Amino acid sequence: MTETEEPVWKRDFPYQAVGEDEVTRREFARFLVAGAGVMAAGNVGFAAWTQLRTINTGEPREIIALSEVPVGETHLFRYPTEADPAVLVRLGDREVAAFSQKCTHLGCVVYFEAEENRWHCPCHEGNFDARTGEVLSGPPPRPLGKIEVELRGDTVWALGADL
Ligand code: FES
């Protein structure tokens, strides 16, 4: 059979569908458009998710009376939900700071080391600044999740969290 000859099956079934040659291209184009649409929707969803993660979450809530936390001591609580372990430290007479207790490396629990004035993660020796939660050393890729706190009289309030 030469290239100009029709195949046997075409001779036996000499019916030509309308636009037979374009079907494959159209389907290919549809797959391309559908694939691009799915990727675009995925990108939009991912961008929204990352934005929502950094939005200030949590309702203003009383945490503890300041007088119950001696200077240099901590108080464990949960914020913004009962599933979020958090820790407050009293750094001075009227100075407090609060953070998520989860290390930003692999999620171990961080502890306050008063003598070093830092948060310490024993899992891989990660260290964070006591006041700001910024990474001082070790593998954590970002600061501790911060909980905004405010003193109202003798009461410590949590106002929101950036976890
Ligand atoms: S989990 Fe905290 S340093 Fe690795």
Side-chain angles (χ1 to χ4, degrees):
M1 179 177 87
T2 64
E3 281 192 353
T4 54
E5 279 184 47
E6 279 191 350
V8 175
W9 67 268
K10 275 250 183 194
R11 263 186 276 131
D12 293 341
F13 299 95
Y15 304 105
Q16 178 86 21
V18 176
E20 187 178 86
D21 295 333
E22 282 101 16
V23 170
T24 304
R25 272 181 278 159
R26 280 188 189 153
E27 283 180 353
F28 182 67
R30 280 192 199 121
F31 281 127
L32 279 182
V33 170
V38 167
M39 288 178 66
N43 283 335
V44 168
F46 184 73
W49 178 72
T50 55
Q51 283 303 306
L52 287 173
R53 281 189 64 216
T54 59
I55 286 177
N56 192 339
T57 56
E59 296 295 316
R61 177 157 61 83
E62 263 185 61
I63 301 302
I64 192 171
L66 183 64
S67 55
E68 290 184 40
V69 186
V71 174
E73 296 291 322
T74 58
H75 169 70
L76 299 177
F77 63 108
R78 295 190 172 265
Y79 191 86
T81 73
E82 284 303 304
D84 301 307
V87 59
L88 170 108
V89 61
R90 185 171 179 184
L91 295 164
D93 188 39
R94 291 193 59 82
E95 185 184 6
V96 291
F99 300 94
S100 163
Q101 211 183 7
K102 282 188 193 166
C103 176
T104 54
H105 181 220
L106 294 177
C108 289
V109 169
V110 297
Y111 299 93
F112 184 63
E113 290 187 335
E115 61 282 358
E116 302 289 342
N117 199 33
R118 69 184 183 189
W119 299 100
H120 178 69
C121 176
C123 289
H124 310 102
E125 303 301 319
N127 294 299
F128 304 86
D129 183 84
R131 278 184 174 74
T132 65
E134 293 291 326
V135 178
L136 297 176
S137 62
R142 60 182 189 280
L144 288 174
K146 189 161 179 59
I147 295 168
E148 192 182 339
V149 286
E150 180 180 85
L151 286 176
R152 294 181 181 173
D154 186 44
T155 306
V156 183
W157 281 69
L159 302 180
D162 188 8
L163 304 181

